[in-house]
Amino acid sequence: MRYPSFLQEQGTIGFVAPSFGCAEPPYKTAFLHAQEKLAESGYKLELGPNCYAREGIGISNTPEKCGEELNDFLCSDKSDVLISCGGGELMCEVLDYVDFDRIRKAEPKWYMGYSDNTNLVFLLTTLCDTAAVYGPCAGSFGMEPWHESIQDALDLLRGKKLVMKGYDTWEKEPLKSEENPLVPYHLTERRILRCFPEGDSTFSGRLIGGCMDCLVNLLGTCYDRVGDFTRRYEEDGFIWFLEACDLNVFSIRRAIWQMQHAGWFSHVKGFLIGRPLVFGQEMMGLDQYHAVYDLLKEYQVPVIMDVDLGHLPPMMPLINGSFASVTVRGNELEVKMELK
């Protein structure tokens, strides 16, 4: 596994937009303020050509131009780390224009983003053996004041914090709008872990995962090299972290079934499942817990649900590809990541 160099003091943060850009409020306003805050902290900034673009369908620009931006920023010395401007809908179409062979040969560089950015975060790890960060996108750094999770993400990119813990409360209904683009998370819900089977647990393995909406879209395509990846690291075993955006509880169950039957979960040591965007949904007797655990229980490993991951913030930033040790004690979760 290749681990990029961490962001140094007065280093350069690059911004790219292979998914949606920051073309209009509240996203543009938040992104502009994020740049101010990071510049005030002493970092130089380098913006890709698509950061403010809105020429594409479900992404910032044409797939060709988005791929060109990624190739340029991942393989050049324009910046030290990269943060995606945002998530979107059709980043998968960019993949045909991403030069993974060139990226594999280039000096590795940290890339951070979530949601639609699973298309790159996951593939950098499985195709290029390059660690990447599943974490917040650029606009989140514009909130006032920063939530602890945002500082955690920056500290991770700086190499200052590789042990993440859950947060006490989470946001069910956001207050961010065009009129209030910089508001912090609206934290009204207490985090309560659901552990299957019940009780404390400790497990370790290589972190791999992302947004299930994107993962099942990649499954079975030419970009699906998960079998090769799991064979390379089978001695470590794997911790799959998964979360869902647009999927309802039946779609989540179908996604789990599909990944299961594709053999993705071989050598699994445990699962971390984030709160789905449809949190609390029940359809025909199926809820978010049975959607997942009814299928995953056959692996006889811990399944930790309602973890701080994904679309109902805050989210713990996680290094995809790192070796992690997870400890669950009561309602407390700790993920210790090692670069090995």
Side-chain angles (χ1 to χ4, degrees), residues 167-237:
Y167 309 103
D168 291 336
T169 52
W170 58 278
E171 174 185 270
K172 192 171 185 180
E173 299 292 341
L175 297 180
K176 187 174 181 177
S177 64
E178 289 189 26
E179 293 74 26
N180 297 288
L182 309 182
V183 293
Y185 294 138
H186 182 217
L187 303 171
T188 60
E189 311 299 311
R190 180 171 172 260
R191 184 208 66 226
I192 301 175
L193 296 177
R194 297 287 297 271
C195 303
F196 302 90
E198 292 185 6
D200 297 345
S201 59
T202 301
F203 51 99
S204 60
R206 205 161 284 278
L207 284 171
I208 187 70
C211 180
M212 285 188 279
D213 307 46
C214 302
L215 292 174
V216 294
N217 193 54
L218 293 172
L219 197 155
T221 69
C222 61
Y223 300 104
D224 178 3
R225 305 287 178 81
V226 172
D228 294 338
F229 178 78
T230 54
R231 281 188 289 272
R232 284 199 298 277
Y233 297 99
E234 64 181 36
E235 291 186 7
D236 296 330

Side-chain angles (χ1 to χ4, degrees), residues 126-163:
T126 57
L127 297 185
C128 303
D129 289 302
T130 300
V133 180
Y134 198 73
C137 295
S140 296
F141 291 85
M143 72 173 65
E144 285 287 2
W146 276 6
H147 183 268
E148 179 186 355
S149 62
I150 305 304
Q151 186 65 55
D152 284 349
L154 181 60
D155 286 346
L156 187 154
L157 291 176
R158 298 168 63 221
K160 303 297 184 182
K161 186 170 184 179
L162 297 179
V163 178

